Amino acid sequence: MIRFNPILNSFPEYNPSSVKLSNDLIDLSKNENPFDVSQEIKQIFYNKINQTSLNRYPELTSETIRQKIAEFLNEYFKSYNLSLNKNNIVVGNGSDELISYLVKIFDGEEVIVCPPTFEMYEFYSTLHNLKVKKVPLDQNFEIRNLGQKIDEKARLIFICSPNNPTGNIQPEEEIVKVLETGFPVVIDEAYADFSKKSMIKYVEKYPNLIILRTFSKAFGLAGIRAGILIANQKIVNQIMKIKSPYSFNILSEKMVETIIENYEDVLKTIDYIIEERNTLSEKLKGYALKSDSNFLLIDLSKISGLSAEDAYNFFLENKIIVRKYSGVLENKIRVTVGTKEENKKFLDCFNSLLDKYY
């Protein structure tokens, strides 16, 4: 007799979007980097793969790429004088895999999240039958006195900074207050490259600090699915006890190796996206929330009679896909910063939307 885990009853049925991507559609819904890696970098990657035996397993615990990532981070954040090594790094199939490990390794009954925020923190916590304590962000979408809401039941605290989907960076002094509680604190910095700020400088000071970063956003490798976790050796050792062997595939390893050896173009892309974000934000003044990421959350509540559903459909009719929300963000849409051309098309469409409803 087939019996499913009853916890699955709390999860909605998988229902992928019915929107079919095509060449004439501009997808600004996934916070992707609008630029693919260069042909030169792809050629270096191809050359590495041509010299790699694909019939062999990758390294058991990915030690070589973990060490290379540690050295890269020491250079990337050289102003912080870091001394990271492979024992501070875990690699995963995107940050999602790393989140799924984090909710398992600590003791405690509750995982604390600060909505509205990245949904996967709650997803994996619930999947592992953990209680999720929600401490909402304030009216400015910032954490405030979060440390006072933490008690002995806490297993893990997730803070996304810059926060997805609101785009804003969380106040450093407030994060430090949470770290001072001594409970494990995960700072998800998937979009931090676009803010030019990071809490990684505190990794050696606070043994309870865990940083998540990704190669999907600023580094333009969403298709590779490569996430990294930075923490003290004690936490890394516990994760490695439960991490599947050979779990970081050789293609991801070689692409990450290639991009961190040739990341100068990435820095230029980051500056381009920041400039476009600031321009887009200025032209959407009054509607776009302040963003430190590569996307903007747009508030439609000032436009009488317009719902996020209406806006989503209007953009879709004009061959642009944005992200719509419900609940506390029901009057808002999220748009990824694209190329200059894509951003202009979005702005033209947004102005047409205003003309229709004003």
Side-chain angles (χ1 to χ4, degrees):
M1 187 172 87
I2 296 175
R3 292 185 297 177
F4 292 107
N5 187 334
I7 196 69
L8 298 178
N9 293 330
S10 63
F11 290 88
E13 184 177 345
Y14 179 65
N15 186 21
S17 172
S18 60
V19 176
K20 303 297 182 184
L21 294 181
S22 59
N23 291 334
D24 62 340
L25 274 177
I26 299 173
D27 191 351
L28 302 179
S29 68
K30 300 188 186 75
N31 297 344
E32 296 163 322
N33 192 317
F35 300 105
D36 194 1
V37 295
S38 69
Q39 288 300 314
E40 290 78 9
I41 288 179
K42 284 186 178 182
Q43 188 59 57
I44 296 172
F45 169 63
Y46 297 153
N47 292 341
K48 287 178 182 286
I49 294 302
N50 284 335
Q51 298 170 29
T52 300
S53 299
L54 298 181
N55 61 311
R56 303 296 182 184
Y57 284 110
E59 286 186 333
L60 184 69
T61 60
S62 309
E63 287 193 3
T64 299
I65 192 61
R66 287 163 55 205
Q67 181 61 33
K68 288 181 178 180
I69 290 172
E71 293 170 0
F72 160 71
L73 291 172
N74 290 338
E75 171 64 22
Y76 194 66
F77 294 105
K78 58 186 174 183
S79 62
Y80 295 155
N81 296 313
L82 301 175
S83 54
L84 301 173
N85 61 57
K86 65 184 179 183
N87 297 316
N88 300 114
I89 305 295
V90 184
V91 290
N93 185 27
S95 296
D96 290 35
E97 181 190 3
L98 301 173
I99 293 168
S100 74
Y101 294 136
L102 285 169
V103 299
K104 297 177 184 177
I105 66 169
F106 298 104
D107 193 18
E109 304 171 22
E110 296 180 341
V111 174
I112 297 175
V113 300
C114 303
T117 194
F118 188 44
E119 298 167 344
M120 290 297 103
Y121 313 142
E122 182 175 356
F123 175 88
Y124 285 110
S125 299
T126 303
L127 184 61
H128 291 95
N129 211 23
L130 295 170
K131 181 179 178 182
V132 177
K133 181 177 180 179
K134 298 181 181 181
V135 182
L137 300 173
D138 68 12
Q139 66 274 14
N140 296 316
F141 297 118
E142 294 181 348
I143 59 171
R144 195 66 59 187
N145 299 319
L146 177 59
Q148 298 177 12
K149 315 286 175 55
I150 300 170
D151 58 33
E152 291 302 317
K153 295 179 182 179
R155 170 181 290 219
L156 190 61
I157 300 101
F158 282 101
I159 299 172
C160 191
S161 182
N163 186 47
N164 178 20
T166 58
N168 58 304
I169 198 166
Q170 295 301 318
E172 183 175 319
E173 64 277 11
E174 292 293 327
I175 295 177
V176 169
K177 289 178 186 177
V178 181
L179 288 169
E180 292 286 351
T181 67
F183 288 96
V185 180
V186 180
I187 309 298
D188 187 346
E189 294 191 341
Y191 302 95
D193 298 285
F194 303 108
S195 70
K196 301 291 182 83
K197 295 180 181 178
S198 175
M199 293 297 290
I200 199 171
K201 60 186 174 184
Y202 289 109
V203 164
E204 294 175 0
K205 181 176 181 180
Y206 292 102
N208 57 321
L209 173 59
I210 302 150
I211 301 285
L212 291 178
R213 296 183 72 91
T214 180
F215 288 98
S216 295
K217 308 303 179 182
F219 287 75
L221 298 179
I224 290 294
R225 306 298 296 126
I228 55 174
L229 178 151
I230 307 110
N232 73 68
Q233 183 173 347
K234 188 174 182 180
I235 291 175
V236 169
N237 286 346
Q238 296 302 315
I239 294 175
M240 297 308 290
K241 288 180 181 179
I242 64 170
K243 193 175 189 295
S244 300
Y246 311 116
S247 62
F248 199 63
N249 74 76
I250 197 71
L251 299 179
S252 295
E253 178 185 316
K254 293 303 179 184
M255 189 66 245
V256 168
E257 180 183 284
T258 301
I259 202 74
I260 64 178
E261 290 173 351
N262 302 273
Y263 71 92
E264 294 81 7
D265 286 346
V266 172
L267 299 179
K268 297 175 185 176
T269 299
I270 291 171
D271 288 339
Y272 178 104
I273 291 172
I274 290 173
E275 183 177 350
E276 281 298 298
R277 177 195 71 203
N278 293 341
T279 299
L280 199 57
S281 181
E282 178 64 29
K283 292 184 177 179
L284 289 167
K285 199 167 186 177
Y287 298 103
L289 280 65
K290 183 184 183 304
S291 176
D292 301 288
S293 57
N294 70 329
F295 59 87
L296 295 170
L297 191 66
I298 299 173
D299 188 358
L300 304 174
S301 60
K302 298 176 183 178
I303 308 174
S304 179
L306 176 63
S307 68
E309 183 73 21
D310 292 333
Y312 175 86
N313 290 330
F314 185 86
F315 282 114
L316 190 56
E317 290 168 4
N318 287 274
K319 307 296 185 181
I320 298 173
I321 308 174
V322 298
R323 178 71 185 271
K324 59 182 176 179
Y325 290 95
S326 58
V328 68
L329 299 177
E330 64 181 352
N331 292 320
K332 296 176 176 62
I333 58 171
R334 191 190 69 192
V335 57
T336 308
V337 178
T339 63
K340 289 181 184 294
E341 295 75 20
E342 290 171 340
N343 296 334
K344 183 180 185 306
K345 289 180 181 178
F346 171 81
L347 281 171
D348 289 344
C349 188
F350 185 78
N351 289 329
S352 296
L353 184 65
L354 291 182
D355 291 341
K356 181 177 179 179
Y357 280 88
Y358 266 143

